[in-house]
Amino acid sequence: MGMGHVLIMLITASLFVIPWAVVSSYSMEPTLEVGDLVIMMPPSQNCGSLLNHVAIYYSPQFGDYIVHRVIAINNAQGCTYIFKGDANPVPDPYPVPHGNVVGVVTFVIPQLGLLSLSYRTFTAALYMLGLIILVIIPAYILDK
């Protein structure tokens, strides 16, 4: 198997193994913009470690995942967080239990997720894979 095949397999595997999300609103500007692809890691079990970090949580009230910054922590009733979008004037309306936090943003690839906002399906992941292959493979070959 050539180096190109290994690279394609690694890219394909990473899209399905590494948790990622796409920013779909303007609430985190200028930190994150619509279409940015964010890579996340699972949150630490330490309640206080999320303060001031950008994280992704599931909101049952809105039925969606939200990417905002943790601005306060409440340990009085277990571990709950207050989130706020950097561009929003007020915090999110509901406290978020630690169990609803699905990831902490660790890496941002600007604008790479724009296609998935159009489709929001498995097809979008395939388009993104194709885009990554079209960019990385030629760059790797030209580098050699």
Side-chain angles (χ1 to χ4, degrees):
M1 204 177 334
M3 190 59 161
H5 293 302
V6 172
L7 191 58
I8 291 170
M9 286 174 46
L10 286 173
I11 293 168
T12 306
S14 68
L15 271 180
F16 297 102
V17 174
I18 297 173
W20 55 275
V22 177
V23 177
S24 61
S25 81
Y26 298 98
S27 66
M28 281 300 293
E29 286 191 340
T31 308
L32 298 172
E33 296 184 3
V34 170
D36 286 355
L37 181 83
V38 295
I39 307 297
M40 59 184 148
M41 286 183 45
S44 163
Q45 292 305 312
N46 177 358
C47 185
S49 67
L50 288 184
L51 189 61
N52 296 321
H53 286 277
V54 176
I56 300 170
Y57 71 92
Y58 179 74
S59 169
Q61 294 88 354
F62 296 113
D64 206 356
Y65 291 90
I66 298 174
V67 182
H68 280 172
R69 186 178 306 279
V70 175
I71 61 165
I73 298 170
N74 182 352
N75 283 317
Q77 308 141 327
C79 179
T80 60
Y81 302 103
I82 302 299
F83 280 82
K84 178 183 171 294
D86 288 358
N88 291 350
V90 296
D92 298 358
Y94 307 101
V96 178
H98 182 76
N100 286 25
V101 178
V102 295
V104 179
V105 173
T106 57
F107 191 73
V108 179
I109 305 172
Q111 305 301 300
L112 188 58
L114 279 175
L115 278 174
S116 76
L117 291 177
S118 303
Y119 297 96
R120 287 188 177 244
T121 64
F122 180 73
T123 308
L126 293 178
Y127 281 120
M128 287 179 52
L129 174 62
L131 184 63
I132 290 171
I133 290 171
L134 288 173
V135 171
I136 291 179
I137 300 294
Y140 177 79
I141 292 169
L142 289 174
D143 191 47
K144 297 293 168 192

